[in-house]
Amino acid sequence: QIRRQPSNRPNTRFSHSSPGYEGDYITVSEIGESGYINYTNTREGTPLDLQMPADPGTYELRYVLRQDSEVMATRIITVTPLSVTITGPDTAPMGADIAVTWDGPDYTGDYIAVSQIGDRGYVNYANTREGNPAMVQMPATPGTFELRYILRQDSQIVASQIITITPLQAALMAGDTARVGEDVDVGWNGPNYAGDYIAVSELGNDRYVDYANTQRGNPAQLTMPDTPGIYELRYVMRQDSTVIGTRMITVTQ
């Protein structure tokens, strides 16, 4: 026999009377299907916690012998839909951390994500266990994205909201020329997100010759390259190393 017991836990709790052979288990399965969606071993004791499917519908609880996967007892169970909502701003600057308020089950491993529309993956996320509202970093590219409440099980999306990410631009202030190896003060005007930095780089090269984090102060101090030429000063966002502001500088002997 399998008997359901009331529980406030995310998993549903069941008691059972059984032979309790080594390797026996309790499953929740689709009706008419031989496999299972989730299971728990009877050696865990009685009552047992068993996670329900991520999709609502009618399912079957089963006591299964390890030997030959023989089903010894069954019980029908109806899995009801979740009522979940999320609320965030309609727009946000690229790269910004925004507060997303959620009302959901907060199961272990659930998370709030920002994703490209039509993509099952995510750009950035925050676990619901970290608090409400969840602080989620926006993508480093402008466009239309989707905020989502996602169940850990099957990465099931149970609530969503559209959000528009707006462009960001940064300005850099420095002289037009500098000598090789000279320390140059570069003023900047930008978002100053954690990990952002000011760099001097070769034209067409993603790497930098020298850099300084924006959170160390304004202006940033950079050491110019040892080789004369035309270089580029850049404001670089930490996320995806996105360049949102540039200025040319000539390095002379």
Side-chain angles (χ1 to χ4, degrees), residues 43-244:
R43 67 171 179 265
E44 302 297 333
T46 183
L48 294 168
D49 286 336
L50 180 61
Q51 187 178 34
M52 292 298 96
D55 294 313
T58 304
Y59 296 87
E60 193 172 61
L61 300 173
R62 299 172 183 168
Y63 186 105
V64 186
L65 292 178
R66 173 179 173 274
Q67 184 178 190
D68 300 330
S69 299
E70 184 77 16
V71 178
M72 301 298 294
T74 63
R75 178 185 175 93
I76 297 299
I77 187 169
T78 299
V79 176
T80 58
L82 286 169
S83 178
V84 184
T85 60
I86 60 171
T87 305
D90 294 327
T91 64
M94 53 192 280
D97 290 333
I98 68 165
V100 182
T101 303
W102 54 269
D103 182 9
D106 192 21
Y107 296 148
T108 300
D110 287 2
Y111 56 99
I112 309 299
V114 58
S115 305
Q116 292 183 343
I117 295 175
D119 189 344
R120 293 289 298 179
Y122 56 80
V123 179
N124 294 309
Y125 76 97
N127 288 303
T128 56
R129 68 171 181 266
E130 295 173 0
N132 192 357
M135 299 304 297
V136 184
Q137 186 180 34
M138 294 298 99
T141 54
T144 303
F145 292 82
E146 196 170 58
L147 300 173
R148 298 171 178 169
Y149 187 113
I150 303 179
L151 299 180
R152 173 182 172 274
Q153 183 179 193
D154 300 335
S155 298
Q156 185 85 355
I157 301 168
V158 290
S160 64
Q161 177 200 310
I162 297 297
I163 186 168
T164 300
I165 306 303
T166 56
L168 265 182
Q169 288 187 334
L172 298 171
M173 290 74 75
D176 294 328
T177 63
R179 296 184 301 276
V180 294
E182 181 182 358
D183 291 335
V184 172
D185 287 339
V186 181
W188 53 268
N189 184 4
N192 194 23
Y193 296 145
D196 288 3
Y197 58 96
I198 309 300
V200 56
S201 304
E202 294 179 357
L203 296 177
N205 193 330
D206 290 338
R207 302 184 67 180
Y208 54 77
V209 179
D210 191 31
Y211 80 100
N213 287 305
T214 58
Q215 293 193 343
R216 292 182 181 174
N218 192 355
Q221 190 175 80
L222 299 177
T223 301
M224 293 297 102
D226 293 331
T227 304
I230 299 176
Y231 291 84
E232 194 171 60
L233 302 173
R234 298 172 180 168
Y235 188 110
V236 186
M237 289 174 54
R238 174 182 173 275
Q239 184 180 189
D240 299 338
S241 298
T242 303
V243 178
I244 60 172

